[in-house]
Amino acid sequence: TMFTARERFTWHVSEDVGELIGVSHSSCMASSSVVSVSERGIQWWEEGNELPTHTVTLEQVPNRSEDDVFTALACMAIEGQVAVACGPQVLVFDRFSSLGPVACIPTPSTDEINCLAVHKQQTHITATDDDGAAYVLNLSQQRVEFKMAKAHKPMASCAKFMPKAKWELCTGGYDATLVRWDFSKPAPKRRFTFKPQSKTGDGAASGGLESAMINPPYVYCMDTSFDGKQLCCGLGDGSVAFFDCATKSQLHPRQRLHDGHNYSVATVCFLPQAIEPDDPDVAGVHLGYRLVGCGNDSKLSLWQTPSDGSANQTYSLAATVLLREKVNGCTALTHATFALAHADNTIALMELCLSP
């Protein structure tokens, strides 16, 4: 079954808050609501309202230097709360509080914090920076609990806690490497380096250096499935690589596909698996995995596994959509909807539809 995606609603982010960086959503939010982060503002949005329902500005950040701006965002699983990076600080804001951040954690980072992720138990936040470091922050104690200095060279670009393992996280970077950590030590448990590959006619990969010389397989982004069993990395050569999180003895992709993008994959997000098999939304009925990826070629791709509930977990391309603008961020809402943060300072609420 092939799909397409339509833009159901569009929010326009004011230039007053600067360049739109990303968008996020959590299970405690309404299925048509998102939070965005721009250089000078964090904003909450609801479908049907053209204006944000709430805004946090840079002026509400304590101990901020003149050049500090917001650089990364992650929603908490507590209604109204978000974690955001500003300079070397990671802060937690609550939209229902007007007293400034409810938590403020300084880090020793000397470069821009580019990614945040929250532990499923809401006990820790992980942050990566442009200097190659990764940090694990203790929320209750508001301090850096672990630091992985030079986790990647030259730059650590993304991180995710492993939902099925209390003390584990994965990081990726511009050394084309994925590292799985036991952050209670902290020490790397497994490491995988992506090799240059070229695209074959069926979307699989073969060894080759031509495309990799232009677009090396840096790890640009990653996401985990909602059941915690799958991890996907979006790479600089336009491919996506899928890993089985339950396999702790090794770190090796179970599948790597080159059929979605010609340039770097900027963002990936898993959609929640459908719960009700008799869902009246035909486009949304799916019992397998779905992954949305957006690239620097202004294309959106959808990969999915079979929906018959079988043990077959092989991904195949189910949609390719040319977008009006490059995407800076993507977040899942339901098994058939997601939101895109476009480079033209708009947020698009997208919906999957069956191709005509």
Side-chain angles (χ1 to χ4, degrees), residues 274-323:
I275 298 174
E276 298 295 337
D278 58 349
D279 192 320
D281 177 9
V282 178
V285 177
H286 198 267
L287 300 179
Y289 295 103
R290 280 179 171 168
L291 180 101
V292 173
C294 297
N296 289 335
D297 52 5
S298 299
K299 287 199 301 185
L300 177 149
S301 297
L302 172 74
W303 294 270
Q304 65 180 18
T305 61
S307 60
D308 55 8
S310 68
N312 181 7
Q313 293 185 352
T314 300
Y315 288 86
S316 59
L317 187 67
T320 300
V321 179
L322 183 62
L323 301 171

Side-chain angles (χ1 to χ4, degrees), residues 185-256:
K185 301 225 181 328
K189 296 185 66 174
R190 299 285 183 272
R191 186 183 299 269
F192 180 81
T193 300
F194 291 96
K195 302 298 183 183
Q197 293 181 336
S198 60
K199 180 177 175 181
T200 63
D202 60 0
S206 62
L209 294 173
E210 182 179 351
S211 63
M213 292 176 64
I214 304 173
N215 300 303
Y218 299 156
V219 183
Y220 275 21
C221 53
M222 67 173 67
D223 195 23
T224 53
S225 60
F226 279 72
D227 64 1
K229 296 180 180 180
Q230 300 276 308
L231 170 75
C232 179
C233 295
L235 305 179
D237 63 356
S239 67
V240 290
F242 296 94
F243 293 80
D244 184 352
C245 293
T247 305
K248 297 184 179 181
S249 60
Q250 61 178 352
L251 188 63
H252 192 277
R254 58 189 303 273
Q255 197 175 359
R256 185 173 170 187

Side-chain angles (χ1 to χ4, degrees), residues 9-340:
F9 194 80
T10 305
W11 295 285
H12 296 268
V13 180
S14 170
E15 293 182 358
D16 292 342
V17 293
E19 179 184 348
L20 178 62
I21 297 168
V23 64
S24 187
H25 176 85
S26 76
S27 58
C28 66
M29 300 172 64
S31 61
S32 57
S33 301
V34 298
V35 183
S36 66
V37 61
S38 303
E39 292 174 311
R40 298 188 294 275
I42 310 163
Q43 297 182 304
W44 280 256
W45 307 85
E46 295 178 359
E47 185 178 9
N49 292 335
E50 294 184 356
L51 298 177
T53 58
H54 186 73
T55 299
V56 171
T57 65
L58 269 180
E59 285 67 31
Q60 294 171 256
V61 176
N63 305 316
R64 177 179 62 88
S65 71
E66 184 178 355
D67 296 331
D68 288 346
V69 295
F70 293 127
T71 56
L73 173 79
C75 275
M76 312 285 289
I78 301 172
E79 185 179 2
Q81 290 195 359
V82 296
V84 64
C86 183
Q89 301 182 90
V90 174
L91 310 105
V92 176
F93 282 96
D94 190 325
R95 64 169 296 184
F96 303 112
S97 172
S98 59
L99 301 178
V102 297
C104 182
I105 308 173
T107 76
S109 176
T110 57
D111 214 327
E112 181 176 302
I113 295 175
N114 53 50
C115 179
L116 297 176
V118 182
H119 196 281
K120 67 175 183 178
Q121 296 180 353
Q122 310 296 293
T123 55
H124 296 85
I125 296 174
T126 183
T128 57
D129 70 18
D130 287 359
D131 193 41
Y135 306 91
V136 176
L137 315 178
N138 186 307
L139 264 172
S140 62
Q141 299 176 14
Q142 297 193 33
R143 67 180 180 88
V144 175
E145 190 166 330
F146 304 107
K147 176 184 177 181
M148 288 78 86
K150 297 299 180 183
H152 297 273
K153 296 180 181 179
M155 174 178 170
S157 52
C158 52
K160 277 286 182 180
F161 288 105
M162 295 295 97
K164 295 291 186 179
K166 183 178 180 181
W167 298 104
E168 292 188 10
L169 65 85
C170 282
T171 62
Y174 278 27
D175 51 4
T177 299
L178 174 70
V179 183
R180 187 163 182 165
W181 302 82
D182 180 342
F183 67 84
S184 66
K185 301 225 181 328
K189 296 185 66 174
R190 299 285 183 272
R191 186 183 299 269
F192 180 81
T193 300
F194 291 96
K195 302 298 183 183
Q197 293 181 336
S198 60
K199 180 177 175 181
T200 63
D202 60 0
S206 62
L209 294 173
E210 182 179 351
S211 63
M213 292 176 64
I214 304 173
N215 300 303
Y218 299 156
V219 183
Y220 275 21
C221 53
M222 67 173 67
D223 195 23
T224 53
S225 60
F226 279 72
D227 64 1
K229 296 180 180 180
Q230 300 276 308
L231 170 75
C232 179
C233 295
L235 305 179
D237 63 356
S239 67
V240 290
F242 296 94
F243 293 80
D244 184 352
C245 293
T247 305
K248 297 184 179 181
S249 60
Q250 61 178 352
L251 188 63
H252 192 277
R254 58 189 303 273
Q255 197 175 359
R256 185 173 170 187
L257 297 175
H258 286 251
D259 53 358
H261 298 280
N262 299 320
Y263 299 102
S264 305
V265 180
T267 180
V268 292
C269 71
F270 278 98
L271 303 185
Q273 291 98 309
I275 298 174
E276 298 295 337
D278 58 349
D279 192 320
D281 177 9
V282 178
V285 177
H286 198 267
L287 300 179
Y289 295 103
R290 280 179 171 168
L291 180 101
V292 173
C294 297
N296 289 335
D297 52 5
S298 299
K299 287 199 301 185
L300 177 149
S301 297
L302 172 74
W303 294 270
Q304 65 180 18
T305 61
S307 60
D308 55 8
S310 68
N312 181 7
Q313 293 185 352
T314 300
Y315 288 86
S316 59
L317 187 67
T320 300
V321 179
L322 183 62
L323 301 171
R324 54 183 167 78
E325 182 61 81
K326 188 174 81 72
V327 169
N328 291 334
C330 175
T331 190
L333 303 178
T334 72
H335 54 272
T337 59
F338 49 94
L340 304 178

